[in-house]
């Protein structure tokens, strides 16, 4: 089997199964996440069973263990708020099933009644997509309860299982992985860079035409779903961050990454605008110089600009990844160099377009093209990023990053509470006495403290 055939089959498989991991690292991350979730579900089931055995008289009822499994599964999936909605759906289905099972056993008509009532309650409570879990939970409970178990015992085991399913995810919450949050942003940046690189390679030897421009626009439009996917991942991470006891003292990187995602989205729109106003064959075919109306020098210089823009976008995303890790010096220098190349190439392109005053009509179209290029440059500008970064850092004082901490590190909940009170007091002071307040930049108040390695045997 040739490499081309393997690549073709792999592409088809990704379309059929988009979530299938494609690399060894992705497989490893997927397996590790699955093991953690399955371990939590198993622990919840066993705890529900053990508490039922210890707290309630025989006979042993598995309703508590099953309820703990269902509620924990609902709590682990998605964000914290979505988990609460799923918990409500599961509990409502369990209660409906218990109410029916108290008087009748499992029959076709009792199954129909349970499913109908569970779905109706889910619709009335506006549970949305989680409403189906209400009916599923009701059917499982209806089929598992025995006639010899008293209704009071069933109700108590359900309460025990529900408590286990709610408390366990709070005690052992999901961990927000930085790699999971930055993965989609990197995919967006690499796809954008690929579009710019393909366009630059094509324009180096060919004049732009309608077909090539349409292909580039289609490639840019294909990136839009990745924006929505990344936004959903960040929303979920923001909710998981709340009440997360494992990451209480870690910096909340979601606001910084959301700002970077907004920047990439605006860059995507500016790229579409630049490709839309690009002169193509057929529109300016009467020009004596070349098919696009400009000379070969302009076309080649424009290819250089596109290539440099792709590198700048990739450098911007790399700076975001370095920021959430705690080390930005090399990344900032890389972005500065990439932006300098873009601005130099853009200046040369403008000079070449102005070289022939007789092309006034083409300059109007080229001016729109240059404006779109300037918008892309402005979006990934380092000064604008540093301003947003400084604001984020000042909101994360004392919290840790993988490579250190932002200012003196906070190590206790009392420190977080004291910091919160100081922020509230400062906000009130600025509101009550605006003439006496002074906004201090985070460069004056914060510094990224390096991580201090601990000696073996010491915490």
């Amino acid at each position: 089997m040739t490499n081309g055939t393997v690549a073709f089959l792999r592409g088809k498989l990704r379309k059929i199964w988009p979530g299938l991991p494609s690399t060894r690292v992705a497989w490893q991350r997927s397996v590790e996440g699955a093991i953690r979730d399955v371990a939590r579900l198993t622990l919840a089931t066993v705890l529900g069973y053990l508490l039922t055995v210890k707290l309630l008289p025989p006979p042993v009822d598995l309703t508590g263990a099953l309820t703990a499994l269902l509620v924990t599964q609902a709590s682990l999936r998605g964000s914290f708020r979505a988990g609460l909605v799923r918990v409500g759906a599961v509990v409502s289905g369990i209660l409906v099933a218990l109410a029916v099972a108290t008087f009748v056993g499992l029959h076709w008509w009792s199954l129909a009644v349970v499913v109908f009532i569970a779905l109706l309650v889910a619709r009335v409570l506006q549970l949305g997509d989680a409403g189906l879990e209400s009916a599923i939970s009701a059917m499982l409970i209806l089929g598992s309860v025995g006639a010899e178990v008293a209704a009071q015992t069933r109700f108590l085991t359900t309460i025990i299982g529900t408590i286990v399913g709610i408390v366990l995810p709070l005690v052992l919450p999901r961990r927000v992985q930085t790699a999971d949050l930055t993965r989609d942003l990197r995919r967006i940046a690499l796809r954008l860079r690929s579009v710019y690189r393909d366009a630059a390679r094509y324009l180096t030897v060919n004049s732009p035409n309608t077909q090539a421009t349409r292909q580039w626009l289609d490639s840019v439009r294909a990136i839009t779903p990745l924006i929505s996917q990344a936004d959903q991942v960040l929303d979920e991470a923001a909710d998981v961050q709340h009440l997360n006891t494992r990451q209480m003292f870690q910096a909340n990187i979601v606001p910084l990454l959301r700002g970077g995602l907004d920047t990439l989205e605006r860059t995507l729109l500016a790229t579409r605008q630049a490709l839309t106003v690009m002169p193509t064959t057929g529109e300016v075919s009467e020009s004596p110089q070349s098919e696009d109306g400009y000379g070969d020098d302009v076309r080649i210089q424009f290819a250089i600009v596109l290539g440099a823009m792709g590198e700048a976008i990739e450098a911007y995303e790399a700076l975001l990844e370095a920021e959430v890790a705690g080390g930005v010096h090399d990344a900032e220098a890389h972005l500065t160099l990439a932006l300098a190349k873009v601005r130099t190439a853009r200046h040369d392109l403008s000079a070449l377009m102005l070289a022939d005053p007789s092309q006034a009509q083409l300059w109007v179209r080229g001016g729109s093209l240059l404006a779109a290029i300037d918008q892309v440059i402005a979006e990934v500008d380092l000064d604008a990023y540093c301003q947003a970064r400084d604001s984020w850092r000042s909101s994360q004082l004392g919290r840790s990053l993988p490579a250190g901490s932002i200012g003196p590190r906070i190590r206790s909940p009392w420190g977080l509470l004291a910091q919160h009170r100081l922020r509230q007091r400062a906000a009130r002071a600025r509101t009550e006495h605006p003439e006496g307040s002074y906004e201090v930049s985070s460069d004056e108040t914060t510094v990224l403290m390096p991580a201090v390695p601990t000696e073996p045997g010491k915490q």
Side-chain angles (χ1 to χ4, degrees):
M1 186 178 293
T2 63
N3 294 334
T5 304
V6 173
F8 174 77
L9 293 177
R10 186 178 299 173
K12 291 296 183 182
L13 183 60
R14 287 179 181 176
K15 290 183 179 180
I16 299 174
W17 194 349
L20 182 67
S22 57
T23 62
R24 188 171 67 88
V25 176
W27 274 107
Q28 181 179 358
R29 187 182 298 117
S30 178
V31 171
E32 291 176 352
I35 291 175
R36 286 193 295 268
D37 288 345
V38 170
R40 288 190 183 95
L41 293 175
T42 304
L43 179 61
T45 305
V46 174
L47 285 177
Y49 173 78
L50 292 177
L51 289 176
T52 300
V53 172
K54 294 293 184 181
L55 299 179
L56 298 179
V60 178
D61 184 19
L62 292 179
T63 306
L66 181 57
T67 303
L69 174 63
L70 294 172
V71 175
T72 304
Q73 169 70 10
S75 301
L76 288 177
R77 290 174 52 197
S79 64
F80 182 75
R81 286 179 293 184
L84 291 180
V85 173
R86 292 189 179 96
V87 169
V90 170
V91 173
S92 64
I94 291 172
L95 295 178
V96 169
L98 288 177
V100 175
T102 301
F103 303 101
V104 296
L106 177 60
H107 304 283
W108 68 266
W109 54 269
S110 63
L111 177 63
V113 170
V114 166
V115 173
F116 180 83
I117 296 178
L119 291 177
L120 182 61
V121 171
R123 291 293 184 90
V124 172
L125 296 179
Q126 300 293 323
L127 296 179
D129 295 336
L132 189 61
E133 298 184 17
S134 177
I136 295 174
S137 304
M139 287 189 291
L140 290 174
I141 295 297
L142 182 64
S144 66
V145 296
E148 69 278 3
V149 180
Q152 181 181 2
T153 302
R154 293 174 185 168
F155 178 76
L156 292 177
T157 54
T158 302
I159 296 299
I160 292 174
T162 302
I163 293 175
V164 171
I166 293 177
V167 172
L168 185 63
L170 295 178
V171 177
L172 298 175
R174 295 168 54 196
R175 191 178 187 88
V176 179
Q177 300 289 343
T178 301
D180 295 336
L181 300 184
T182 58
R183 180 180 62 249
D184 291 332
L185 271 69
R186 181 153 187 82
R187 289 175 61 191
I188 293 170
L190 291 179
R191 293 277 291 272
L192 262 176
R193 186 202 65 178
S194 178
V195 173
Y196 278 110
R197 182 173 294 178
D198 292 344
R201 289 175 178 173
Y202 183 88
L203 293 176
T204 302
V205 295
N206 301 292
S207 296
N209 58 65
T210 304
Q211 181 179 1
T213 303
R214 186 180 298 113
Q215 291 178 353
W216 300 331
L217 284 172
D218 291 340
S219 299
V220 172
R221 294 189 184 99
I223 305 176
T224 303
L226 297 179
I227 298 287
S228 302
Q229 179 180 343
D231 187 63
Q232 183 178 359
V233 170
L234 291 178
D235 286 340
E236 179 179 326
D239 286 339
V240 172
Q241 196 85 7
H242 296 309
L243 303 179
N244 194 324
T245 55
R246 298 181 63 188
Q247 297 180 292
M248 182 181 301
F249 306 109
Q250 294 184 10
N252 183 12
I253 62 176
V254 174
L256 180 68
L257 294 180
R258 189 178 297 282
L261 179 62
D262 293 340
T263 297
L264 291 177
E265 184 177 11
R266 292 191 296 267
T267 302
L268 187 69
L269 296 176
T271 302
R272 291 180 58 178
Q273 180 183 357
L275 294 176
T276 302
V277 301
M278 181 187 301
T280 57
T281 57
E283 296 179 352
V284 288
S285 56
E286 298 84 1
S287 173
Q289 286 187 286
S290 69
E291 293 181 354
D292 63 351
Y294 295 110
D296 290 338
D297 293 340
V298 173
R299 173 174 51 79
I300 295 175
Q301 185 62 35
F302 183 53
I304 295 175
V305 171
L306 293 180
M309 288 170 64
E311 297 298 329
I313 292 173
E314 183 182 11
Y316 176 84
E317 192 279 332
L319 178 57
L320 281 175
E321 290 194 36
E323 184 68 52
V324 298
V328 298
H329 300 293
D330 294 340
E332 283 187 356
H334 187 198
L335 179 58
T336 301
L337 180 61
L339 288 173
K341 291 182 179 179
V342 174
R343 291 189 174 100
T344 301
R346 189 260 183 230
H347 180 269
D348 295 340
L349 176 63
S350 177
L352 289 173
M353 285 183 171
L354 288 171
D356 187 0
S358 64
Q359 297 184 349
Q361 183 177 1
L362 290 177
W363 170 244
V364 173
R365 189 69 176 268
S368 301
L369 181 63
L370 293 177
I373 294 174
D374 290 340
Q375 184 177 353
V376 174
I377 297 174
E379 292 296 340
V380 297
D381 182 65
L382 181 59
D383 292 336
Y385 167 79
C386 289
Q387 183 177 1
R389 187 269 315 275
D390 291 344
S391 177
W392 171 75
R393 280 188 178 181
S394 64
S395 68
Q396 303 296 318
L397 281 175
R399 297 180 182 268
S400 63
L401 290 170
S405 61
I406 304 175
R409 185 173 180 179
I410 297 177
R411 301 180 181 271
S412 68
W414 311 114
L416 291 176
L417 181 61
Q419 184 191 71
H420 179 68
R421 290 180 176 177
L422 287 174
R423 289 184 182 278
Q424 288 183 331
R425 186 181 304 173
R428 287 196 301 269
R430 286 194 296 267
T431 303
E432 296 172 358
H433 307 284
E435 71 284 352
S437 62
Y438 170 65
E439 293 290 342
V440 183
S441 68
S442 57
D443 286 337
E444 299 174 281
T445 59
T446 66
V447 63
L448 191 62
M449 307 294 290
V452 179
T454 58
E455 298 180 2
K458 294 184 178 182
Q459 298 293 333

